[in-house]
Each structure stands twice: as C-alpha cells, then as structure tokens.
Amino acid sequence: MDKLVTLNLKKEHSNLSNQVKTAKDSFLGPNILDTLQKLEAVFVQTKPIVASVLDSYNVCIFTYGQTGTGKTFTMEGSPENRGVNYRTLDELFGVSQERSGIMRYGLFVSMTEVYNEKIRDLLIDSSNQPPKKLEIKQTAEGTQEVPGLVETRVTGTEDVWDLLNSGSRARSVGSTRANEL
C-alpha cells in the first residue's frame, strides 16, 4: 500500500477512535436508559469505526456491565429493532459492496467463549469431535489470535446472524443470584 495512503488511513483511524472515546461521556448521564432504548443512537456512536475493519485495523465493539442491564439487547436487539451487531454487519457488508470495484474482501466469522478461564470454539460441531485446547497467542504484529478456531466464510448479514445464533446455543449458561432478580 502506498505510504501516503497508509498515513491517511492511520490518521483517519486515529480521528475516528478519538471520536468514539470522547463519545463515551454521552452514555454516562441520566439519559442512559433512553439511549439504550434507541439502538440507532447507540449504533451511531460506533458506526465511524466500522470501515476501519476493512482498512485492516483491529476493532472491538463490546458491552459490559451488571447482569440484567441490557447488554445483550444493545448488541442483538430484536427483529423489529436490530442492535449494534446487526447494524454493524449491514454497514460492513454495505461498505464492502461499495468498494467492490477497487477491492475484494473475504469476510469470515469465528466465535469464542471465555468461561471459567477456558476458551471454547462455539462454532465447532462438538457432537463429533473432542474439544480442542485453545490458547490466545500474540502475533508478530502485536495482536492476539486463537489458532485453530473454526472460521466460516460469510457473504451477508444473514449468514453471520445464523452463525451467531448457532454459537449462542453452544454458550455456557449459569445462573447467579443476580439472575433471579
């Protein structure tokens, strides 16, 4: 890649990352529940970094918080009001399609779970194979990966959604006293 293009991509990525970091304050006010109910508003906060994935930058969008605070709903939403995951995928495939005249992308999905300090591949057909011991490895570029994960090629949002649903069914689920409330 041309050095000028690389510098421009790094500058754009840095600017977008700073926008997302400064936007976090909008989640901390008394209107947090109102914001979470408006999934489009939440997605708008993350949308600027979606194209960064296609520009070879590592991006992670996640939710965290106490049990029952709306993390899953924020990410998944409902069929009538899609969450951040679905909207991000639509944007990702849309940008990929817009760029198809100049760049061809191969998009793949893998899905892991870290539960009780064990890493599990949620897309492996566990009925036919014993579980593999998976470990997080650091690459030469300084990023982390989990070698040996099932990676499935996807061509659209529905492909990914089907895999997410399949992987979700394989997740470990445990109850806590917080779940009862």
Side-chain angles (χ1 to χ4, degrees):
M1 195 181 294
D2 181 274
K3 188 173 184 176
L4 181 60
V5 171
T6 301
L7 289 174
N8 286 340
L9 287 174
K10 285 183 178 181
K11 183 178 179 185
E12 183 180 342
H13 179 73
S14 177
N15 289 339
L16 292 173
S17 293
N18 287 335
Q19 287 176 22
V20 171
K21 287 175 189 169
T22 56
K24 72 177 181 176
D25 294 337
S26 66
F27 290 111
L28 301 176
N31 64 346
I32 187 167
L33 292 177
D34 186 47
T35 301
L36 291 176
Q37 291 170 351
K38 296 178 182 169
L39 295 178
E40 176 64 27
V42 176
F43 173 67
V44 166
Q45 300 287 328
T46 60
K47 184 177 177 180
I49 63 171
V50 173
S52 296
V53 171
L54 298 175
D55 295 330
S56 300
Y57 288 96
N58 293 317
V59 172
C60 179
I61 301 170
F62 69 97
T63 59
Y64 65 95
Q66 223 173 335
T67 298
T69 57
K71 298 178 299 293
T72 300
F73 182 75
T74 298
M75 296 306 282
E76 295 179 7
S78 65
E80 304 79 35
N81 190 13
R82 295 295 190 182
V84 173
N85 283 349
Y86 199 94
R87 293 169 193 261
T88 297
L89 292 168
D90 279 345
E91 182 72 12
L92 189 64
F93 284 107
V95 172
S96 173
Q97 185 61 37
E98 286 172 16
R99 295 180 179 182
S100 65
I102 56 170
M103 182 70 77
R104 190 174 328 165
Y105 296 99
L107 301 171
F108 295 82
V109 169
S110 60
M111 192 171 176
T112 59
E113 170 185 71
V114 179
Y115 186 76
N116 287 335
E117 300 184 25
K118 289 191 170 94
I119 301 170
R120 282 192 333 127
D121 189 335
L122 295 178
L123 297 182
I124 196 165
D125 181 6
S126 60
S127 61
N128 298 333
Q129 301 171 1
K132 294 186 270 185
K133 182 170 171 48
L134 299 172
E135 296 179 353
I136 299 172
K137 303 286 184 184
Q138 186 163 335
T139 67
E141 296 82 29
T143 60
Q144 282 74 38
E145 63 179 31
V146 180
L149 286 177
V150 169
E151 292 184 343
T152 304
R153 187 181 183 98
V154 290
T155 59
T157 302
E158 290 304 319
D159 289 349
V160 178
W161 206 250
D162 290 344
L163 289 169
L164 289 174
N165 285 330
S166 174
S168 290
R169 287 190 296 274
R171 286 177 49 217
S172 299
V173 179
S175 65
T176 66
R177 281 192 266 155
N179 295 125
E180 296 170 8
L181 303 173

